[in-house]
Amino acid sequence: SAGVSIHLQVPSRLGHVTYHQHHFFCLEPLHQSYQNLTMNDKYSFALQTAFTPGIHPGEEISSPAFWFIFKGEDLLVQSSGDDHLLLCTSSPAELGISPIFSQYLGRYGSTDCFVAEVPETASHPQFLQSRTLRSLFGRINDDLFTLAGRAVQIIHYQREHQFCGKCGTEMANRKSELAKICPSCSFI
């Protein structure tokens, strides 16, 4: 298994806490270019291009748009012919797949981003591959990998928060924010 050493400075109530040489071990090997990554290699975990989260797209949707389409825990991606993979730029409807759920994610630079979940049993075009997020580390653009992490969190939220924790009524999506509200007891 590959180990990654990192050096982090984390703000806290008592000032900055510094962590040295914490090791994280992987069950599957990292892509070759990331196997010996340290924070001293100037790797940044911040987005390099501006991302504005949103709930509703503007009046005009960018063309192309990025679609984070998940089948279960796997993301549908397309091979670029080299070692990198590309995000899907077609909506599930354009691919002939009926989504279980879709949501606007926000705007990455000048490109709109969406997240969708499709049935695990749905067939997808042959030019797309179904890959785990873990296997995509270092194989897709770092910013898009980070946004894929946000997208899968939204998918999990949508799946796991269908009923009110207070009264058991089916939750409804709020229109003003990425949240749910109970139509019976108004619990958010």
Side-chain angles (χ1 to χ4, degrees):
S1 62
V4 177
S5 301
I6 58 175
H7 170 90
L8 297 173
Q9 251 196 350
V10 180
S12 75
R13 288 184 300 140
L14 304 172
H16 279 61
V17 177
T18 303
Y19 297 90
H20 296 277
Q21 298 299 316
H22 287 277
H23 297 277
F24 299 91
F25 293 94
C26 313
L27 296 177
E28 57 184 276
L30 288 169
H31 186 266
Q32 184 178 8
S33 62
Y34 288 90
Q35 284 184 351
N36 296 312
L37 177 71
T38 68
M39 291 304 286
N40 296 332
D41 294 332
K42 296 185 174 132
Y43 183 81
S44 172
F45 290 104
L47 295 178
Q48 302 301 307
T49 300
F51 175 74
T52 306
I55 298 167
H56 307 289
E59 291 185 21
E60 286 190 38
I61 295 174
S62 67
S63 181
F66 289 132
W67 279 87
F68 297 89
I69 303 174
F70 287 88
K71 285 179 75 171
E73 298 298 313
D74 293 352
L75 181 64
L76 295 180
V77 293
Q78 166 178 351
S79 177
S80 66
D82 57 6
D83 197 29
H84 282 75
L85 298 168
L86 305 171
L87 277 184
C88 189
T89 55
S90 301
S91 71
E94 292 169 328
L95 298 171
I97 306 171
S98 219
I100 297 169
F101 164 78
S102 67
Q103 170 72 46
Y104 182 67
L105 191 62
R107 189 167 261 252
Y108 172 69
S110 61
T111 306
D112 287 306
C113 300
F114 296 85
V115 58
E117 180 178 24
V118 298
E120 288 187 60
T121 56
S123 60
H124 57 273
Q126 287 186 334
F127 67 88
L128 293 175
Q129 301 171 19
S130 182
R131 297 286 190 93
T132 65
L133 281 183
R134 177 78 181 95
S135 71
L136 295 175
F137 184 68
R139 307 240 8 240
I140 64 171
N141 171 286
D142 290 340
D143 282 1
L144 297 179
F145 180 80
T146 301
L147 293 177
R150 176 173 169 75
V152 79
Q153 289 173 353
I154 291 171
I155 293 288
H156 281 253
Y157 173 76
Q158 181 68 22
R159 271 190 221 145
E160 305 300 324
H161 294 86
Q162 294 183 18
F163 298 95
C164 179
K166 281 182 131 178
C167 72
T169 303
E170 188 170 348
M171 300 289 274
N173 289 324
R174 289 188 51 131
K175 294 185 182 356
S176 60
E177 63 181 325
L178 187 57
K180 292 182 178 268
I181 187 165
C182 177
S184 179
C185 70
S186 300
F187 182 68
I188 297 176

